[in-house]
């Protein structure tokens, strides 16, 4: 099937990723109506990456984005079209979890015990805008992997377009693993020496925690928080001190705050 991507950031980072990997440029095509400075930069990168670009009327771009959610229909003169399989993740830098963990644990340039590594697990977060915003924060604060469950989560092809736009293109760079069983993933990470922190109210204040060099941060769903089975796997519950009138922060904002604190304390 064909997937349409809009937004300068999402398109630019998708093309950058193809140029870097040299992988399947023939599956991607750019359509543009006019050449502004931003579009010109994207077209130059696309040429270097081997991605074909075609100039069309603006009405053609309007037609291409017509089936997208309203928030994604502002194409601003350029659209990326990508052919994907039904099971292919269209926006994320998709990896297989076990292979990623094996590669991390067998690096030749040093023992993982001495290295800093942060993994973010998203437990049933269903709003793709939240997932995209979280991935953007993950990119900014050096997260090594984002783990998303296959079911009860934003990860299908249509939602990945929203994720790509909301992440401002970061989803083309941050490794993402989609898995069947989050509990088993956490168990494997703990076996590899990771320390697991669950974000929830009533835990230890984030500013007082000495985060481990190998950290797993679990963020729960928008309405229900972390599932009981995952909470039992946590070594510690971490909270953000606030003073507002409403119950809690949005999950993407909370993730950004916690990732900054983890990054700051690891890099003092």
């Amino acid at each position: 099937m064909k997937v349409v991507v809009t937004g300068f950031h999402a398109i630019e980072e998708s093309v950058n990723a193809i140029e870097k990997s040299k992988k399947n440029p023939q599956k991607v095509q750019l359509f543009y109506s006019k050449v502004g400075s931003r579009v010109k930069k994207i077209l130059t990168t696309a040429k270097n990456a081997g991605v074909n670009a075609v100039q069309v009327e603006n009405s053609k771009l309007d037609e291409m984005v017509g089936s997208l959610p309203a928030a994604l229909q502002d194409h601003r003169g350029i659209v990326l079209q990508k052919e994907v399989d039904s099971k292919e993740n269209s926006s994320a830098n998709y990896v297989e979890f076990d292979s990623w963990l094996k590669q991390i644990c067998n690096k030749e340039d040093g023992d993982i015990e001495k290295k800093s590594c942060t993994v973010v697990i998203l437990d049933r977060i269903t709003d793709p805008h939240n997932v995209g915003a979280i991935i953007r924060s993950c990119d900014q604060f050096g997260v090594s992997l984002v783990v998303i469950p296959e079911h009860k989560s934003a990860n299908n092809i249509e939602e990945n377009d929203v994720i790509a736009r909301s992440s401002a293109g970061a989803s083309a760079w941050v490794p993402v693993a989609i898995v069947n069983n989050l509990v088993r993933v956490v168990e494997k990470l703990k076996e590899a020496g990771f320390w697991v922190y669950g974000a929830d109210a009533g835990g230890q204040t984030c500013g007082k925690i000495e985060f481990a060099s190998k950290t797993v941060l679990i963020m729960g769903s928008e309405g229900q928080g972390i599932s009981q089975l995952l909470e039992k796997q946590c070594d510690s519950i971490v909270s953000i001190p606030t003073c507002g009138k409403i119950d809690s922060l949005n999950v993407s904002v909370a993730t950004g705050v916690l990732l900054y604190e983890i990054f700051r304390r690891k890099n003092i």
Side-chain angles (χ1 to χ4, degrees):
M1 67 177 291
K2 293 182 179 180
V3 171
V4 171
V5 178
T6 60
F8 285 146
H9 282 296
I11 292 174
E12 190 171 23
E13 293 305 328
S14 294
V15 175
N16 283 338
I18 293 170
E19 182 185 26
K20 183 178 180 181
S21 67
K22 305 299 182 183
K23 186 177 180 181
N24 297 326
Q26 70 278 4
K27 288 190 174 183
V28 177
Q29 189 166 15
L30 286 174
F31 297 87
Y32 66 99
S33 59
K34 54 184 178 180
V35 183
S37 59
R38 195 68 179 274
V39 172
K40 185 177 181 179
K41 180 181 178 182
I42 293 173
L43 293 177
T44 299
T45 305
K47 182 178 180 181
N48 294 335
V51 173
N52 187 41
V54 179
Q55 188 167 20
V56 297
E57 296 294 329
N58 208 58
S59 58
K60 172 64 175 178
L61 301 183
D62 293 340
E63 180 183 337
M64 292 179 69
V65 302
S67 61
L68 297 179
L72 301 181
Q73 291 183 13
D74 181 16
H75 54 71
R76 301 176 71 182
I78 188 167
V79 165
L80 182 146
Q81 182 174 273
K82 180 178 181 180
E83 293 184 13
V84 298
D85 298 329
S86 59
K87 295 182 179 180
E88 183 179 353
N89 184 297
S90 65
S91 65
N93 186 15
Y94 186 63
V95 298
E96 198 277 321
F97 174 76
D98 287 334
S99 297
W100 177 88
L101 186 60
K102 182 178 180 181
Q103 181 181 18
I104 288 294
C105 291
N106 290 295
K107 283 188 176 293
E108 297 178 355
D109 56 348
D111 188 344
I112 188 174
E113 294 292 338
K114 300 177 183 178
K115 293 185 173 297
S116 177
C117 186
T118 301
V119 174
V120 172
I121 294 179
L122 306 184
D123 180 20
R124 302 167 300 161
I125 295 178
T126 57
D127 186 338
H129 294 92
N130 282 333
V131 174
I134 288 170
I135 290 175
R136 185 172 185 174
S137 292
C138 289
D139 172 66
Q140 291 298 297
F141 298 120
V143 170
S144 300
L145 180 70
V146 176
V147 181
I148 301 174
E150 184 175 4
H151 304 292
K152 298 181 180 180
S153 178
N155 61 39
N156 64 43
I157 288 176
E158 290 77 13
E159 290 169 324
N160 280 340
D161 294 332
V162 182
I163 291 172
R165 185 75 172 262
S166 300
S167 72
S171 60
W173 299 106
V174 179
V176 175
I178 297 178
V179 301
N180 290 320
N181 191 324
L182 288 181
V183 173
R184 183 57 187 141
V185 163
V186 172
E187 290 174 345
K188 290 180 179 180
L189 287 167
K190 292 178 76 171
E191 290 170 1
F194 283 80
W195 194 270
V196 181
Y197 304 86
D200 205 351
Q204 189 174 0
T205 300
C206 59
K208 297 180 179 180
I209 293 179
E210 292 293 336
F211 291 98
S213 60
K214 292 191 295 179
T215 291
V216 176
L217 176 64
I218 302 179
M219 302 302 300
S221 68
E222 293 92 336
Q224 299 176 321
I226 301 172
S227 66
Q228 291 184 355
L229 289 176
L230 274 180
E231 187 173 353
K232 290 179 180 178
Q233 294 290 327
C234 293
D235 298 300
S236 181
I237 299 298
V238 57
S239 299
I240 301 170
T242 58
C243 61
K245 301 295 188 295
I246 60 175
D247 291 339
S248 62
L249 294 169
N250 170 277
V251 65
S252 64
V253 174
T255 306
V257 171
L258 291 172
L259 288 178
Y260 168 74
E261 187 63 23
I262 292 169
F263 178 82
R264 183 185 71 84
R265 296 185 73 83
K266 285 185 177 184
N267 291 274
I268 291 176

